[in-house]
Amino acid sequence: DTDPTKWDTSTTQWPIETVVSDEYLDADLETLEELAPDTFIEGFDGDMAYRISIELDKAAQVTELNTIPASFASKRVVMAWPNEVYVTGLTNALTGVRSKQSGQYLACTIGGMISGLPSHQGFTFIGVSGIEQLFNSNFYFTDDQITSLSQSGWYVFLQDSESSLPYSAHEVTTDVSAYQTGELMAVKNFDYVALYYKDIVEGFLGRYNILDETLELIRGAVNNGSEVLSLRTYPRIGAPLLGAEIAILEQLAGEIDRVEMYMEVDLPTVLNVVGLHLMQS
């Protein structure tokens, strides 16, 4: 159809002569006249942009998606799914019509939860506001496919209905190799506790000389900080620190202006699984 407002839906096949690289290939296109008569003429010879499209069923889509978080495999990277959402109250200013927005808005909700809730608060099953509807999530994939996405490092959001608050299937990072790196709560709470102690010991830098009295002052300040943090409790989740003990506190022999301190900390863990066993008497 030569009407410039329409597209011809017919297809034409040309053989690929050589695959030069991941970005270039040689093909004998012969004539492109039927594709764009206003641009190309018979016997076209030159460069042409192209893309390769592969039809994937849902199982193959999950397999392909799971390669993305695996490429990061970092406790510092959180990837939100799904890829399309309706944002509450967001419409076109001219038409008043809402349109699908990027799943990056879901990443913003995760950031807001991290900044607004206690460091040891897990996010699994907690609803988030600001997102009206999800696409390509649990109304698109099966339960097993959603589980596969989550276990591979996707922070997947679900909805019980199209109008209910979205919530996460499991709050994970892209490094699901271990609980300490894959559970977002474990990562952010460890960071919070580490920064808490860092603020305490930084008060001694440059202001004190390394004396026995200084080491005891550091020990006392850290122990007092541990007690304060262990008493900072919340309903259902307790305190960000369950216990702490200084194992080593000493001046470093090879670097005399440095004090080394090793601490053993006991941090809370998220309740993710309950093993219920019924035995008939």
Side-chain angles (χ1 to χ4, degrees):
D1 193 332
T2 58
D3 186 338
T5 64
K6 299 179 181 179
W7 291 100
D8 189 350
T9 58
S10 63
T11 60
T12 304
Q13 296 182 357
W14 296 288
I16 296 175
E17 295 181 346
T18 307
V19 177
V20 181
S21 68
D22 289 343
E23 298 179 354
Y24 295 96
L25 58 80
D26 289 332
D28 183 5
L29 303 183
E30 296 181 351
T31 175
L32 293 176
E33 188 174 1
E34 70 277 14
L35 290 182
D38 293 336
T39 306
F40 299 109
I41 60 173
E42 187 173 355
F44 170 80
D45 183 17
D47 295 336
M48 179 179 181
Y50 69 91
R51 69 178 182 180
I52 299 175
S53 176
I54 303 174
E55 293 291 334
L56 300 176
D57 60 20
K58 291 182 181 180
Q61 291 172 32
V62 170
T63 300
E64 185 69 18
L65 283 171
N66 285 345
T67 65
I68 300 175
S71 67
F72 291 101
S74 170
K75 66 180 181 179
R76 302 299 179 197
V77 178
V78 177
M79 299 197 64
W81 184 265
N83 60 327
E84 293 180 328
V85 300
Y86 278 154
V87 177
T88 304
L90 181 60
T91 59
N92 186 295
L94 296 177
T95 64
V97 177
R98 64 181 180 179
S99 59
K100 294 179 181 178
Q101 302 297 318
S102 167
Q104 293 172 343
Y105 280 92
L106 291 170
C108 293
T109 68
I110 299 172
M113 294 171 74
I114 291 174
S115 64
L117 293 174
S119 63
H120 57 306
Q121 173 67 68
F123 297 158
T124 302
F125 300 137
I126 292 183
V128 297
S129 60
I131 305 298
E132 185 173 343
Q133 187 176 343
L134 306 175
F135 299 92
N136 305 322
S137 185
N138 56 311
F139 295 141
Y140 179 78
F141 290 120
T142 66
D143 289 345
D144 288 343
Q145 290 166 345
I146 291 292
T147 299
S148 177
L149 289 170
S150 181
Q151 291 178 343
S152 298
W154 281 103
Y155 192 118
V156 182
F157 284 88
L158 313 174
Q159 271 184 310
D160 293 333
S161 69
E162 292 183 353
S163 59
S164 63
L165 284 178
Y167 60 91
S168 64
H170 190 185
E171 43 129 32
V172 294
T173 72
T174 57
D175 183 1
V176 291
S177 60
Y179 170 87
Q180 290 80 3
T181 60
E183 192 80 27
L184 179 57
M185 188 284 277
V187 174
K188 63 189 181 73
N189 189 53
F190 185 90
D191 287 348
Y192 174 79
V193 172
L195 291 172
Y196 176 84
Y197 284 121
K198 178 175 178 287
D199 286 342
I200 292 176
V201 299
E202 280 188 339
F204 292 89
L205 298 180
R207 301 176 180 89
Y208 291 75
N209 290 337
I210 301 178
L211 308 169
D212 290 341
E213 293 85 349
T214 303
L215 298 182
E216 287 306 309
L217 286 173
I218 294 175
R219 183 186 301 274
V222 169
N223 286 337
N224 288 338
S226 298
E227 184 176 356
V228 170
L229 202 57
S230 63
L231 293 175
R232 194 176 296 173
T233 60
Y234 296 81
R236 298 188 302 176
I237 59 175
L241 178 70
L242 302 181
E245 182 178 351
I246 299 174
I248 298 175
L249 177 59
E250 62 185 13
Q251 183 179 12
L252 189 63
E255 193 175 343
I256 60 174
D257 63 341
R258 179 185 180 97
V259 168
E260 286 289 293
M261 179 166 57
Y262 290 82
M263 296 183 61
E264 297 177 358
V265 294
D266 185 11
L267 303 178
T269 55
V270 178
L271 174 59
N272 285 328
V273 181
V274 173
L276 175 62
H277 306 273
L278 301 183
M279 296 179 289
Q280 186 174 0
S281 59

